[in-house]
Amino acid sequence: MEAARAEGIVLRKQPVTESSLVVTWFTREAGKLKTMAKGARRVKGPLVGKIDLFYQDEILYLPSRRGELHLLTDCFLVNPYRRLRGSVAALTAAAYACELVESITELEDAQPGIFEALAGVLEALGREDKRPALLIWFELRLLALAGWEPRWETRAGVDRMLKSLTGSTLAAAQRVKLNAAQVREARELVWRFWDGEVGRTPKSRLALEQVAFL
């Protein structure tokens, strides 16, 4: 069987044996994928240093004929998003963004727009102090790409800001400054909408609320 190629970001990694991992990726070409990475936990294995949370890799895998778990044959590191490792706040924000993607997508449903949004926000979270606005933008972007775009009132205040963020680019979102009261009100509205539409509350949301600057 011919190997398939994709560019993916690591959403989750789970040890399954002393030497192997099951890795959940979000890829540009095939959406959310699960692969068995044999030997990924070996100290001197060929995959050492190539697979970690939030890493962006080019991957080669053999598609499974019987299920949804494919066999990873090789991967090449594209972007480790090293700046995320510089603070607890950045790591917490990245974990939240990846959980949002995992919860709102189905296996092997290609969504290149979601991949580009995730890659962009991971890069921005690693170098920006405006993480609350970025995460609110990302939540709104995911909802829109999934077909659940909120319809906000046009009156002044947080609703108007959310309406503006919903249709904005990542670059525009990086220029938005929110005070603590605006962040609380915006999150209350967005999270209520998210939980109602998606049907589940992200587990990492609690950690997000407990970290300074988020």
Side-chain angles (χ1 to χ4, degrees):
M1 181 183 298
E2 185 176 353
R5 183 185 296 268
E7 190 167 346
I9 294 169
V10 178
L11 301 180
R12 179 192 297 265
K13 59 177 187 174
Q14 300 165 278
V16 289
T17 68
E18 290 185 359
S19 62
S20 300
L21 295 169
V22 169
V23 184
T24 303
W25 310 82
F26 196 81
T27 70
R28 178 186 283 112
E29 294 80 2
K32 187 166 61 180
L33 283 178
K34 288 189 176 183
T35 65
M36 174 67 74
K38 293 184 177 180
R41 302 183 70 197
R42 292 176 183 157
V43 176
K44 297 183 179 180
L47 298 177
V48 169
K50 300 178 181 179
I51 299 175
D52 204 352
L53 292 177
F54 325 131
Y55 274 21
Q56 184 174 331
D57 292 337
E58 184 178 352
I59 65 173
L60 294 174
Y61 64 97
L62 291 176
S64 172
R65 293 178 178 176
R66 299 182 180 180
E68 298 168 335
L69 183 61
H70 311 295
L71 179 62
L72 185 71
T73 59
D74 207 350
C75 70
F76 309 92
L77 185 60
V78 174
N79 189 344
Y81 297 106
R82 287 192 177 90
R83 288 191 178 95
L84 291 174
R85 274 73 184 170
S87 75
V88 172
L91 285 172
T92 303
Y96 183 68
C98 285
E99 185 181 357
L100 293 179
V101 170
E102 187 170 6
S103 67
I104 206 170
T105 57
E106 301 293 334
L107 283 171
E108 301 183 41
D109 177 23
Q111 296 278 354
I114 291 180
F115 176 86
E116 296 299 338
L118 178 59
V121 83
L122 289 178
E123 188 68 40
L125 289 171
R127 64 173 184 265
E128 291 291 335
D129 294 326
K130 301 166 187 175
R131 296 187 183 106
L134 287 172
L135 288 176
I136 291 167
W137 171 85
F138 187 64
E139 288 169 312
L140 294 171
R141 182 65 177 152
L142 288 183
L143 288 167
L145 290 169
W148 293 325
E149 183 174 338
R151 303 295 180 186
W152 306 109
E153 299 293 335
T154 57
R155 65 177 184 269
V158 171
D159 281 22
R160 185 173 182 179
M161 180 272 292
L162 290 174
K163 182 178 177 63
S164 176
L165 270 182
T166 299
S168 73
T169 63
L170 175 60
Q174 292 181 75
R175 296 191 291 269
V176 174
K177 296 181 180 180
L178 302 176
N179 60 39
Q182 289 173 319
V183 170
R184 285 194 299 270
E185 187 176 351
R187 282 178 169 173
E188 181 180 353
L189 292 170
V190 174
W191 289 355
R192 186 187 308 143
F193 187 90
W194 178 283
D195 293 352
E197 295 297 325
V198 180
R200 70 185 77 167
T201 300
K203 294 180 181 178
S204 56
R205 187 182 289 171
L206 179 60
L208 190 78
E209 293 179 292
Q210 293 175 340
V211 174
F213 309 115
L214 287 177

